[in-house]
Amino acid sequence: MQKEQYLDIVPEVQSALKNNEPVVALESTILSHGMPYPENVSFAAEVEKVVRAEGAVPATMALIGGRIKVGLNGEELERMCRAEDVSKVSRRDFATCLATGRTGATTVATTMMCAAMAGVKVFATGGIGGVHRHGEVTMDVSADLQELARTPVAVVCAGAKQILDIGRTLEYLETMGVPVIGNGTADFPAFYCKKSGFGLDYAAKDETEIARIVHTKWALGLAGGVLIGNPIPDEYALDFDYMEGVINRAVAEAELTGVHGKDITPFLLSRIKEITGGAAFRSNVQLALNNARCAARIAKALCALAA
C-alpha cells in the first residue's frame, strides 16, 4: 500500500498544490497540548486567518481514524482543541497511532512528515524541540532535530524553546547539516525572547531571500529541511534574564515531581504561563502568529520560483 492511500487532503489544499499556489503546514500539538481550551480554538481560527491574509492556504495536520489529515474542518479542529483522548505523536508513534485508529496531535517532527507526504514545502510552528537541559546526561533530544536533517520542509520558528539547551541544539543541527537562517537577524531567537546569544549561519534580509536559499538547497538535491529563525515582535518579547529565572524554577519543579520524556514540555509551558501571570502565554500566541505570517510569505516566494 502506498503512503498516499493514508492521506486525506482537503480539496482547497489539493487544488492549491496542483496549481502551484502557496500552502502553509500547521501543527496540532500546539492546539491539543500547548494551549488550554477554549483559547486554543480562538488561536486555531486566528492562525489560519493570518495565513490566508498573506495569500496562502493553511493546512493543519493531525492523525484521525487511521488517516493522515492534511487540513482540518471545523469539527476536526474542535476535536483537536478539546484534546479528549488525543495523543501527542512523534515519529516513533506515527505508525502505531495510524494502525490503531487513535487520534494524534502532530509535533514538529510529524507535521514535517505529513507535509512532505502531501507535497507541502513550508511549515510554521512556535518553537522547535531540541536538546534538553542536561541532555548530555539524560540523552533527551527531540526527534524534531533528526526530522530536520532528513525531511525536505522549511520550518519557520521563533527559535528553540527557551526551556532547552539552545547551544547544544544548534551544535546538533550543524552536525546534521541543517541550515539555520535568520529572518532579519544574526542571533538565534529564544522563543519568548528576540535573542539567545547564539549566532546564526546566515541573516537573510527578507522572506524572498530565504525562499531562494531553500529553493537552491533542494534544486541541488541536498537532503533535509531548512530552519528559519523568526524573532518574536518587539512588543511581545520578554526579558531573557527574567525568563531564565522563570524557566529554572519550572525545570526544578519538574525534576522534583519526576516529570520527564514527552510530558516535560507541556508541564514546563504550563508552569511558565502560571509563573508569569499569563505573559508568556500571550507572547507564545503572538510569536506563533508572526511565524505563520513569515511562512506564508516564504511559501508564496517559493511558488514564484517554481513557476
Side-chain angles (χ1 to χ4, degrees), residues 200-261:
L200 285 168
D201 299 340
Y202 182 71
K205 63 182 181 180
D206 56 24
E207 291 88 351
T208 301
E209 185 177 23
I210 292 168
R212 284 202 301 272
I213 294 168
V214 172
H215 177 79
T216 301
K217 174 184 165 79
W218 293 335
L220 291 169
L222 298 175
V226 177
L227 186 65
I228 297 102
N230 187 46
I232 184 172
D234 289 338
E235 60 268 36
Y236 302 108
L238 301 178
D239 179 76
F240 186 87
D241 292 334
Y242 165 69
M243 287 307 300
E244 276 295 295
V246 169
I247 288 164
N248 286 334
R249 176 179 164 186
V251 168
E253 291 178 11
E255 291 175 353
L256 190 64
T257 53
V259 179
H260 55 83

Side-chain angles (χ1 to χ4, degrees), residues 23 41 85 87 92 102 104 134 168 211-212 219 222 244 263 265 274-275 277 280:
V23 178
V41 178
D85 296 318
S87 304
R92 71 172 184 182
R102 289 184 293 143
H134 312 301
R168 283 191 170 91
R212 284 202 301 272
L222 298 175
E244 276 295 295
D263 296 325
T265 298
E274 292 169 8
I275 295 167

Side-chain angles (χ1 to χ4, degrees), residues 3-4 7-10 12-26 57 59 61 68-71 110-123 151-154 214 218 298-300 302-303 306:
K3 62 187 177 184
E4 287 77 14
L7 287 169
D8 282 347
I9 305 176
V10 296
E12 183 186 21
V13 172
Q14 223 166 17
S15 175
L17 292 171
K18 181 181 178 182
N19 295 310
N20 188 38
E21 294 169 354
V23 178
V24 173
L26 301 169
V57 176
M61 310 292 182
I68 300 167
K69 298 288 184 176
V70 181
T110 43
T111 302
M112 289 182 72
M113 291 167 61
C114 295
M117 289 178 194
V120 179
K121 300 296 185 183
V122 184
F123 162 36
T151 304
V153 174
V214 172
W218 293 335
I298 293 170
K300 198 169 181 179
L302 274 174
C303 286

Side-chain angles (χ1 to χ4, degrees), residues 50-113:
V50 165
V51 170
R52 292 185 189 283
E54 293 294 334
V57 176
T60 303
M61 310 292 182
L63 306 182
I64 300 175
R67 309 294 298 169
I68 300 167
K69 298 288 184 176
V70 181
L72 303 180
N73 61 33
E75 181 183 336
E76 290 164 341
L77 272 174
E78 176 76 16
R79 182 174 181 179
M80 301 311 293
C81 289
R82 287 192 176 274
E84 295 166 357
D85 296 318
V86 176
S87 304
K88 181 180 177 183
V89 177
S90 194
R91 173 174 275 268
R92 71 172 184 182
D93 317 302
F94 197 85
T96 301
C97 185
L98 274 180
T100 57
R102 289 184 293 143
T103 302
T106 57
T107 61
V108 169
T110 43
T111 302
M112 289 182 72
M113 291 167 61

Side-chain angles (χ1 to χ4, degrees), residues 5 25 55 60 74 84 89 120 132 151 155 193 230 270-271 277 285 305:
Q5 293 180 261
T60 303
E84 295 166 357
V89 177
V120 179
H132 279 266
T151 304
V155 179
C193 310
N230 187 46
S270 175
R271 285 298 294 130
V285 169
L305 289 167

